[in-house]
Amino acid sequence: MSSRLVLILNTHMPQVLGEGPLLDEPETWLFEALTETYLPLFRMMSRWEPQRFSGTLVLSFTPCLVQQLLACEERYTRYLHLLGRIATRELERTSQRELYNRYEKYPQTLTDEALHRLHQTAGMYLRRVEDSLAFLKEHRLRDVLGQLGRSRLPGVQLWTSSPQHNFLPFFEPATADRLVARGVESFQEVFGREPDGFWLPECAFQPGLERVLTRHGVRRTALSLHGIGAYQPEDPSGPYRHGDLEVLVHDYRIGLHLWKSPESTFPAHPVYREFFRDLGFDVVPEYFDELGVPVPAHKRGHLWTGIKYHAVSGKDVGLGHKALYEPEAARAQVPHHVRAFWELLESRRASVQDGRTFVLAFDTELFGHWWHEGVDWLEGVLQPAAPRESIPAKVESPPPPPSLPRLYYSTWGMDFYSEHWLTPANCWMYALIKLVEAHLPPPVDEASRELWRRFELFSGSDLLFMMPDPTQKERARALFLARYEDLVSRLPAFEPELLAAYPVDPFKCLLVHVMKPGDEAPPPFQLHRLSREDERMARRREITLEPEVREIAGLRVCFQYFLLHPQGRYALRVEGSERAHTFQMPDYGMPLLIAQDARAYPKYDPEVLYRKLGEIWEGDEHLPIKAAPTLRSRHVYTREALAGVLAGRRAAIFKYNKEGYALLRFREQALAPASIVFDDTVSLSDAGAYIQAGAMSVPVSSDPADIALRDFDAIVFTCSLNFESEVPHVRALLEVATRRRLPVISLYDDILYYDLFDGLDVDPELFYRVAVPEQDALAAQAPEAYQPRNLLGVFGTDTVQGKFTTQIYLREALARQKLRVRHHSTEPTGILLGADTGYSRVLHVELAQRLAFERRLMLELAGGCDLVITGGQNGLLYTPPGADRRANASTHIYETFLPRLVVLTVSVDTRAEDVVATREYLETLAREHGVPCTVVGLAMMGGRKLHGSRWTETWFLGVRDEVLEDARQRLERHTGLRVHAIPEEADALARAVLTHL
């Protein structure tokens, strides 16, 4: 099987084409990109041979760039003539050492070889200028683009984008709809047909945009891995489908080897050209004066010409110490990196969903402009001189891409969300954009359509993104404010008042208030956390925030960044106003930061994050239980039913309680063995100490950020939701479950009854609760005679733990004795660990109906085997608060099933009098029901009774042999019953049971 590449090139340039002096930045960005990237790319497309590339090349053009290409030919030609004048002089200057040093800021001692190398490089630049002029003489750029659209080259797709690279999640749905429509219309006008797809600027997506795209006939788009809810290092990228939309998922893990890469990857190779050292920085200003090349005053001494003589040389080599560039050596290196690229893909097959199709997206300007050799590399990958050996003569068509149930808020920025694009330095610009947006009239006539065209330019992303750059900040600010004033002067009605919020990531939000300036202090923000349950809304906390303030454009812009809950719904007000802005935070996911080693790390320290969220918002202790649940899980209580759901899966367990420990201890018997255990307090080291196990074979994590990074395909909740600290873990597990469509098993309470599913696509068919369906219990009639003889019960003395553990060890030991054993577990954990039936109680039926059902169930189990094992839930002597011991669960279990044989569980510090009292209590119950009852022996767990902070636990301390032996002798002497250590003497206990059958 051969790797298949889908390469997406996002081709965009800000609105930089000017009318003033040439060589004045930022217009030269466009001209350098034309010379080094766009024209070489157009030449490559004119030579395109589909049979030489089995993948897909996607060329995305922003309307903003296209319009500049159509309008720039005259100015670009003049620029090339100026550049040709410089290149011609460089060819002359590099032929003589004295002439070369005459214009250098820092004259050098050059060898003949070095001077010859400079001369060769100068010739390369002159030929490039001449080739570019020849291309323009032969082709109009409008015709080049039109022909590209008409040709429909096999293996090539042409996409459009928003008009001015507008960052679509910033806008209201109607505005985003208009911007997508304009992008499609602009493409049709130039390329003469519908676009093949739509590039979302910065891969920025929020749910709802998929409907906008398909409404305008867009069939394809690209997202980051976060856009499909993928956060784990091994989550697969590649092509997917969401409804009618093909979603190409870019793999940043591979893309980092070419873009913003670690020092050791392709563009950073020492022989490649260094981008940041330019001729215009190395020569004295008089050089350009003598050439008659006009240089703007603010660029004298640091003019970008695109002529660069130095190589990367190494990561620790400063700009002033770079080695000279050798074009031939750089070209010779390119084929090695072409091969290395395909080898890289071959090594990463496991990271793509079909094992072969890789989707990579880059800014087109990377190739040729930033990475000078990048166009040659691109042609080596896309149009190799000969087919790669790994490509078979006939390549099978890939299978249809898998369907995605939903898409997620995401970008391809620094943390895969929006903080890279929306910062404290530019958030006031966002506020003014939103203010103007709120006043735009519908585009129904020429005047209103002109307003929208100006708004497209004003709201483009580029000026916002330039603000963090100190060299561009003032220019971007001035141009943005000029466009703002122009727009406001044209609006038919304008009221400078705005209240808005924008999520930066799933945890951080920007709150904005725009108002008229005044002498009084700006009113504080009032933020309410909402719930979908109206009766709970009044109990939510209200937070008062003092915003930061900026006076700008005759307005007061107040803003505040604040931590909120993922998927939480909030109402924002300002003090003294009833007007509210209601919003919802985006889907849960982990913002990640990319380090220099290309690995992804969580942006937040989850422990600190959730503690801070708790301090802010969890003032009440109410858990999010739905008052009127609309969904419920499917109830199961038999091994057969659950085996069809879990067999062969690996489970994530929440949490590390006695049920969780049982699932680890008896992992070999589990329907879905535990692959990871999550707990809100217990860590891996704590868990190892807890069971005196040393290194744990199954990891235990208390980090909610770890949930999305782990490999599992089923989830088991071993407890009811009891504490606020558990909510982030449960929410994160449910997010993963709904995204991956995993089965979710609740041992106790129905997880669907909790108010944790806002924004999640819940399929109740995937949720299971270990419980008896009411209809099963109601349908069972009481048997006429209930007297099964082959029944063994395991019960506790006082509240000693170990009953369930003893049942499993004894069940396996009896099976080794060739007995046909069945197991009815009164713990719901049982059916995960090999029991035939298991649940903790029958729900919502009267006691008589429950008794009838359970006895009928036991008769069915006992009828086809030699022995049925069951047991209690607490000690037989346990006295519930406000009741007597006859109300405890173990007494109910005994009186329901009436086992003829009993094993009692003890520990090393169980009192002998408690064992005697338990035996006497059993004899009393047996006489009352007219059945025999024999206590076979005692099963002793090697631990002491300890009281934990949340549960009563048995902590296995590895007690000394002499302690065990002393306990054995003491209990046997005072009770007359044989003590069997568990698990060491489970077989001996099984043989003792056999003698009583």
Side-chain angles (χ1 to χ4, degrees):
M1 183 184 292
S2 172
S3 297
R4 182 176 182 273
L5 175 64
V6 178
L7 182 64
I8 304 171
L9 299 183
N10 165 43
T11 316
H12 168 65
M13 186 63 61
Q15 191 73 43
V16 293
L17 189 61
E19 299 176 354
L22 288 168
L23 302 182
D24 190 5
E25 278 194 306
E27 186 179 52
T28 51
W29 300 348
L30 173 63
F31 296 157
E32 287 185 11
L34 264 164
T35 307
E36 297 176 329
T37 298
Y38 302 157
L39 296 190
L41 190 61
F42 293 151
R43 291 191 193 98
M44 185 183 76
M45 299 313 300
S46 69
R47 302 188 297 268
W48 185 261
E49 295 182 28
Q51 70 275 13
R52 291 166 63 187
F53 181 56
S54 63
T56 302
L57 171 64
V58 175
L59 295 174
S60 169
F61 295 96
T62 59
C64 171
L65 169 65
V66 170
Q67 293 306 315
Q68 291 181 92
L69 292 180
L70 301 184
C72 77
E73 287 189 28
E74 188 272 333
R75 287 185 65 81
Y76 178 47
T77 301
R78 288 168 51 200
Y79 164 84
L80 287 174
H81 284 299
L82 283 180
L83 190 59
R85 194 181 304 172
I86 298 171
T88 300
R89 183 55 182 271
E90 281 303 291
L91 194 62
E92 176 187 351
R93 189 172 76 101
T94 55
S95 64
Q96 300 178 42
R97 187 177 294 104
E98 296 77 10
L99 188 59
Y100 178 83
N101 275 325
R102 182 186 306 171
Y103 296 100
E104 285 289 297
K105 287 180 181 176
Y106 306 102
Q108 308 168 41
T109 302
L110 293 173
T111 65
D112 290 342
E113 180 184 353
L115 191 64
H116 178 67
R117 194 177 300 167
L118 288 166
H119 189 68
Q120 285 185 310
T121 306
M124 177 191 74
Y125 288 119
L126 181 57
R127 288 191 299 274
R128 173 177 295 167
V129 171
E130 293 169 347
D131 289 345
S132 300
L133 286 168
F135 185 93
L136 289 182
K137 187 175 182 180
E138 187 176 349
H139 308 281
R140 293 179 64 227
L141 291 178
R142 177 181 293 274
D143 296 335
V144 171
L145 296 175
Q147 177 59 32
L148 194 57
R150 290 188 298 274
S151 63
R152 296 186 180 272
L153 295 172
V156 177
Q157 294 178 13
L158 302 181
W159 290 13
T160 189
S161 187
S162 59
Q164 297 285 337
H165 205 250
N166 311 80
F167 192 87
L168 293 178
F170 278 179
F171 301 99
E172 297 300 314
T175 307
D177 189 284
R178 171 70 179 169
L179 293 170
V180 170
R182 290 277 293 127
V184 172
E185 293 167 5
S186 298
F187 183 92
Q188 292 169 329
E189 292 168 1
V190 175
F191 293 90
R193 64 176 176 90
E194 300 281 340
D196 297 310
F198 192 102
W199 172 260
L200 298 167
E202 310 304 349
C203 268
F205 175 85
Q206 66 178 356
L209 279 175
E210 73 277 19
R211 295 189 294 275
V212 173
L213 294 174
T214 55
R215 184 160 53 248
H216 293 287
V218 174
R219 300 184 297 278
R220 297 178 188 87
T221 194
L223 296 181
S224 71
L225 274 164
H226 273 52
I228 62 169
Y231 314 112
Q232 297 188 106
E234 66 273 13
D235 276 336
S237 59
Y240 290 85
R241 289 208 70 83
H242 176 73
D244 295 330
L245 193 66
E246 183 179 355
V247 180
L248 301 177
V249 179
H250 161 66
D251 199 322
Y252 74 90
R253 299 162 299 196
I254 299 172
L256 284 171
H257 287 263
L258 279 82
W259 183 238
K260 299 185 184 302
S261 57
E263 294 89 344
S264 61
T265 52
F266 299 171
H269 192 279
V271 302
Y272 288 153
R273 191 188 74 168
E274 170 61 51
F275 176 82
F276 289 100
R277 185 164 175 185
D278 192 281
L279 168 71
F281 289 71
D282 284 348
V283 296
V284 294
E286 292 76 17
Y287 171 85
F288 297 104
D289 295 339
E290 291 185 17
L291 276 178
V293 174
V295 176
H298 68 284
K299 303 307 298 179
R300 289 179 68 83
H302 49 93
L303 175 72
W304 288 95
T305 66
I307 296 176
K308 308 169 197 293
Y309 285 128
H310 294 85
V312 172
S313 305
K315 65 178 182 178
D316 297 323
V317 180
L319 282 179
H321 299 87
K322 297 287 185 179
L324 290 178
Y325 178 58
E326 295 184 67
E328 289 303 321
R331 278 193 288 271
Q333 179 59 39
V334 170
H336 297 290
H337 277 152
V338 171
R339 286 193 297 274
F341 174 73
W342 288 112
E343 290 167 1
L344 174 66
L345 298 192
E346 292 293 326
S347 70
R348 300 293 182 91
R349 285 187 180 278
S351 67
V352 295
Q353 59 87 3
D354 63 357
R356 62 173 292 205
T357 305
F358 293 83
V359 175
L360 297 176
F362 302 99
D363 290 335
T364 309
E365 297 74 26
L366 164 64
F367 303 99
H369 181 51
W370 291 98
W371 178 19
H372 184 251
E373 297 73 19
V375 172
D376 291 338
W377 178 89
L378 202 61
E379 187 155 12
V381 168
L382 299 175
Q383 295 283 272
R388 290 185 297 119
E389 294 179 3
S390 58
I391 300 179
K394 182 178 181 181
V395 178
E396 295 181 3
S397 298
S403 178
L404 297 167
R406 62 189 306 227
L407 303 176
Y408 295 78
Y409 170 53
S410 57
T411 77
W412 71 349
M414 179 178 63
D415 62 351
F416 299 97
Y417 292 101
S418 297
E419 188 162 28
H420 189 63
W421 318 118
L422 184 60
T423 70
N426 68 13
C427 64
W428 62 269
M429 304 167 81
Y430 160 77
L432 296 190
I433 289 173
K434 298 299 292 180
L435 180 62
V436 172
E437 180 190 14
H439 289 84
L440 285 174
V444 295
D445 55 26
E446 183 53 35
S448 58
R449 284 193 288 271
E450 176 61 23
L451 267 176
W452 274 90
R453 284 190 288 270
R454 291 173 183 269
F455 177 74
E456 291 167 5
L457 179 60
F458 167 63
S459 64
S461 64
D462 297 301
L463 294 182
L464 280 79
F465 298 171
M466 290 179 194
M467 286 299 290
D469 182 352
T471 67
Q472 300 296 330
K473 179 178 179 180
E474 288 308 314
R475 187 187 197 110
R477 184 181 188 277
L479 188 52
F480 179 84
L481 288 176
R483 291 172 179 173
Y484 168 77
E485 294 293 347
D486 173 68
L487 258 173
V488 169
S489 69
R490 296 168 183 270
L491 289 171
F494 183 72
E495 179 62 34
E497 181 75 22
L498 174 77
L499 194 62
Y502 185 73
V504 171
D505 62 37
F507 300 94
K508 185 185 288 187
C509 189
L510 171 67
L511 313 174
V512 174
H513 179 216
V514 180
M515 58 186 296
K516 293 179 180 178
D519 296 331
E520 70 282 357
F525 289 138
Q526 293 178 332
L527 190 61
H528 300 255
R529 185 178 177 192
L530 304 179
S531 168
R532 296 200 183 278
E533 305 293 340
D534 291 342
E535 60 270 24
R536 292 176 57 231
M537 288 172 60
R539 297 205 299 266
R540 304 312 296 179
R541 289 189 64 188
E542 174 183 295
I543 305 296
T544 299
L545 303 171
E546 295 294 334
E548 297 184 45
V549 180
R550 290 198 183 173
E551 304 279 349
I552 196 158
L555 298 172
R556 178 176 284 175
V557 178
C558 308
F559 65 93
Q560 177 72 51
Y561 286 87
F562 203 64
L563 285 178
L564 304 177
H565 290 269
Q567 282 292 313
R569 296 176 66 249
Y570 295 87
L572 173 66
R573 291 183 174 85
V574 294
E575 191 175 77
S577 172
E578 292 301 314
R579 180 185 176 195
H581 173 71
T582 302
F583 62 96
Q584 181 167 348
M585 293 296 287
D587 297 343
Y588 180 88
M590 287 313 326
L592 300 175
L593 300 178
I594 306 300
Q596 278 297 102
D597 60 2
R599 294 175 60 190
Y601 297 90
K603 174 181 176 181
Y604 299 112
D605 181 330
E607 181 180 350
V608 174
L609 175 69
Y610 284 108
R611 184 170 65 244
K612 190 169 184 63
L613 280 170
E615 292 169 357
I616 296 170
W617 291 109
E618 310 305 335
D620 56 45
E621 292 300 320
H622 298 287
L623 289 163
I625 300 175
K626 292 185 177 181
T630 56
L631 296 176
R632 67 181 301 178
S633 299
R634 303 168 69 181
H635 287 184
V636 292
Y637 64 97
T638 67
R639 183 181 61 212
E640 289 79 7
L642 207 52
V645 176
L646 289 181
R649 293 180 178 268
R650 304 170 313 283
I653 308 297
F654 184 84
K655 57 196 243 169
Y656 201 94
N657 51 9
K658 59 185 176 62
E659 287 84 358
Y661 174 52
L663 293 172
L664 290 182
R665 180 197 283 222
F666 299 107
R667 194 167 181 267
E668 295 77 12
Q669 280 81 35
L671 289 174
S675 63
I676 176 73
V677 179
F678 297 105
D679 193 285
D680 54 313
T681 58
V682 178
S683 68
L684 178 61
S685 58
D686 297 332
Y690 170 46
I691 62 171
Q692 295 291 292
M696 297 286 290
S697 59
V698 177
V700 179
S701 173
S702 59
D703 184 352
D706 207 22
I707 289 171
L709 305 177
R710 293 290 183 166
D711 183 24
F712 53 86
D713 50 14
I715 295 172
V716 177
F717 289 107
T718 64
C719 63
S720 303
L721 191 54
N722 297 303
F723 301 92
E724 287 285 352
S725 61
E726 297 167 348
V727 171
H729 296 74
V730 175
R731 167 68 202 196
L733 283 163
L734 294 175
E735 166 72 16
V736 170
T738 54
R739 184 176 74 242
R740 301 185 197 167
R741 297 186 61 77
L742 307 182
V744 177
I745 314 300
S746 301
L747 298 187
Y748 293 100
D749 288 352
D750 193 329
I751 197 66
L752 290 177
Y753 287 5
Y754 290 94
D755 192 13
L756 295 171
F757 289 89
D758 281 357
L760 300 185
D761 184 18
V762 179
D763 181 357
E765 294 296 304
L766 295 173
F767 285 76
Y768 299 83
R769 182 181 183 181
V770 179
V772 177
E774 289 88 340
Q775 62 269 23
D776 285 16
L778 293 172
Q781 301 300 314
E784 293 181 4
Y786 177 78
Q787 292 187 339
R789 298 178 182 276
N790 56 341
L791 198 58
L792 170 69
V794 180
F795 292 91
T797 55
D798 193 19
T799 56
V800 171
Q801 306 290 328
K803 300 174 292 297
F804 179 66
T805 302
T806 299
Q807 291 172 45
I808 295 180
Y809 278 124
L810 187 53
R811 183 188 76 200
E812 300 304 307
L814 286 165
R816 288 193 290 271
Q817 300 291 334
K818 308 304 181 184
L819 255 67
R820 296 174 300 161
V821 183
R822 304 192 79 174
H823 185 192
H824 172 72
S825 173
T826 59
E827 295 280 354
T829 322
I831 63 168
L832 296 176
L833 296 177
D836 297 87
T837 54
Y839 51 88
S840 60
R841 56 191 178 275
V842 179
L843 304 172
H844 307 141
V845 297
E846 298 296 330
L847 189 59
Q849 294 168 319
R850 169 179 173 172
L851 178 66
F853 167 77
E854 294 191 323
R855 285 188 169 182
R856 175 70 170 269
L857 179 64
M858 184 57 74
L859 281 174
E860 292 172 355
L861 288 173
C865 67
D866 299 315
L867 183 70
V868 178
I869 298 177
T870 188
Q873 289 185 341
N874 53 25
L876 273 166
L877 299 183
Y878 171 67
T879 301
D884 61 26
R885 68 177 58 163
R886 286 181 176 268
N888 72 42
S890 283
T891 298
H892 284 305
I893 290 168
Y894 176 84
E895 292 185 317
T896 297
F897 298 125
L898 301 175
R900 306 299 175 92
L901 301 178
V902 168
V903 170
L904 296 178
T905 59
V906 295
S907 70
V908 293
D909 49 6
T910 297
R911 300 188 307 168
E913 53 264 39
D914 289 334
V915 177
V916 172
T918 301
R919 185 175 186 179
E920 292 174 350
Y921 182 44
L922 274 172
E923 291 170 348
T924 299
L925 294 173
R927 284 194 303 271
E928 291 176 358
H929 288 279
V931 295
C933 180
T934 300
V935 177
V936 176
L938 305 181
M940 183 165 67
M941 306 299 296
R944 291 187 174 88
K945 191 70 177 178
L946 297 180
H947 293 277
S949 60
R950 297 192 179 180
W951 316 280
T952 303
E953 305 284 5
T954 299
W955 196 326
F956 296 93
L957 296 174
V959 295
R960 300 187 306 276
D961 289 345
E962 59 267 28
V963 175
L964 289 170
E965 191 57 35
D966 288 347
R968 183 201 301 272
Q969 293 177 11
R970 173 176 54 82
L971 289 172
E972 288 183 347
R973 184 170 60 249
H974 287 90
T975 66
L977 296 170
R978 174 71 185 273
V979 175
H980 300 84
I982 300 297
E984 294 85 353
E985 297 176 357
D987 287 317
L989 180 58
R991 289 191 293 271
V993 171
L994 279 173
T995 64
H996 289 85
L997 283 179

